[in-house]
């Protein structure tokens, strides 16, 4: 039994559970950030959900490392998984991959490729933007001279950052906030580039089909 098949079976069995755990982590973190005045028992409950989900991510990473048979090379080859383990707020974005794998188990996806790219990119941007807004709000709201004081400010700033518009009315002033901003800028450029490239490819295909239909048949 080769390592690739074992790793594939593990991924297939754990995709749904880890996808749910990702959403539980994000929801618990959102409550933790947005409701700081909650009772201590509720606060401890949501923190325990967060750490339990994070522990599941760690176990999954360790098992996949073991099943891959790559040794230390697993970290280099799967560097994105390592980043997601260290920064678990990025984990909910992998729900998109979970949904895709579930669709494929039930046959071919209903949407065409270009529509899937646009839909999955929109979902990824939404999850990434919400996670980034929570993180920036948490580190900026109590910082001296901060302009991001409410979660609404953070959401507006996140939208302008991901869209690469950058109005400049709200800016992070902490080192960690600026680090998060740099990551959001890079992700925004990548995701928007993906959508733009997919749309351009679809337009070219449509124009090409139109030209073929108008071209007279050859003798």
């Amino acid at each position: 039994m080769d390592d690739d098949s074992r790793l594939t079976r593990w991924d297939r069995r754990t995709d749904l559970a880890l996808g749910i755990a990702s959403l539980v982590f994000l929801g618990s973190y959102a409550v933790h950030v947005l409701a700081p005045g909650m009772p201590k028992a509720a606060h401890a409950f949501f923190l325990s959900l967060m750490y339990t989900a994070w522990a599941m991510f760690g176990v999954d990473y360790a098992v996949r490392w073991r099943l891959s048979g790559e040794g230390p090379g697993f970290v280099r080859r799967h560097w994105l998984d390592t980043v997601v383990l260290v920064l678990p707020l990025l984990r909910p974005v992998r729900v998109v991959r979970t949904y895709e794998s579930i669709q494929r188990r039930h046959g071919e996806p209903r949407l065409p490729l270009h529509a899937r790219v646009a839909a999955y990119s929109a979902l990824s941007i939404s999850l990434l933007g919400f996670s980034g807004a929570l993180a920036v709000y948490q580190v900026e709201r109590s910082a001296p001279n901060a302009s991001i004081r409410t979660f609404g400010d953070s959401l507006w700033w996140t939208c302008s950052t991901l869209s690469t518009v950058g109005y400049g009315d709200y800016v992070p002033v902490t080192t960690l906030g600026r680090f998060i901003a740099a990551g959001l800028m890079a992700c925004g450029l990548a995701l928007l580039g993906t959508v733009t490239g997919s749309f351009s490819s679809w337009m070219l295909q449509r124009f090409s089909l139109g030209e073929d239909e108008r071209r007279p048949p050859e003798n």
Side-chain angles (χ1 to χ4, degrees):
M1 185 183 302
D2 60 282
D3 293 330
D4 285 341
S5 62
R6 294 170 61 192
L7 183 58
T8 301
R9 281 201 297 272
W10 171 262
D11 286 339
R12 194 172 298 166
R13 291 172 182 171
T14 58
D15 260 344
L16 182 58
L18 290 173
I20 295 173
S22 301
L23 296 179
V24 169
F25 181 93
L26 180 59
S28 301
Y29 180 71
V31 174
H32 168 69
V33 172
L34 299 177
M38 74 177 77
K40 290 184 178 180
H43 183 73
F45 171 73
F46 285 108
L47 280 180
S48 66
L49 287 180
M50 284 176 54
Y51 290 129
T52 300
W54 200 351
M56 289 176 64
F57 305 153
V59 170
D60 172 65
Y61 185 85
V63 171
R64 293 178 70 245
W65 186 342
R66 179 70 179 84
L67 292 179
S68 71
E70 299 175 0
F74 178 84
V75 178
R76 183 180 66 257
R77 184 175 176 183
H78 302 271
W79 61 270
L80 185 58
D81 292 333
T82 307
V83 171
V84 169
L85 178 63
V86 177
L87 302 174
L89 265 180
L90 298 177
R91 183 81 193 202
V93 178
R94 295 193 62 181
V95 171
V96 177
R97 193 190 75 171
T98 301
Y99 177 75
E100 173 75 5
S101 64
I102 292 174
Q103 287 287 306
R104 291 196 175 280
R105 288 179 209 169
H106 293 84
E108 288 297 322
R110 298 179 182 177
L111 294 175
L113 176 61
H114 302 298
R116 293 205 311 274
V117 170
Y120 297 160
S121 297
L123 180 58
S124 298
I125 290 174
S126 300
L127 290 170
L128 182 65
F130 184 64
S131 302
L134 286 171
V136 167
Y137 175 57
Q138 183 182 26
V139 301
E140 291 287 321
R141 60 185 171 185
S142 58
N145 303 319
S147 59
I148 301 174
R149 292 293 186 182
T150 67
F151 185 61
D153 296 340
S154 184
L155 280 175
W156 172 250
W157 169 84
T158 302
C159 290
S160 63
T161 301
L162 280 174
S163 62
T164 68
V165 174
Y167 289 108
D169 47 355
Y170 296 103
V171 293
V173 297
T174 64
T175 301
L176 183 55
R178 290 172 177 172
F179 177 78
I180 296 171
L184 285 176
M185 291 174 196
C187 293
L189 285 170
L191 289 171
L192 289 175
T194 300
V195 174
T196 303
S198 177
F199 179 74
S200 300
S201 176
W202 176 77
M203 291 292 290
L204 287 173
Q205 286 187 7
R206 299 302 299 177
F207 288 142
S208 177
L209 288 174
E211 290 294 331
D212 291 341
E213 291 174 358
R214 289 194 297 267
R215 187 176 302 158
E218 295 181 0
N219 293 329

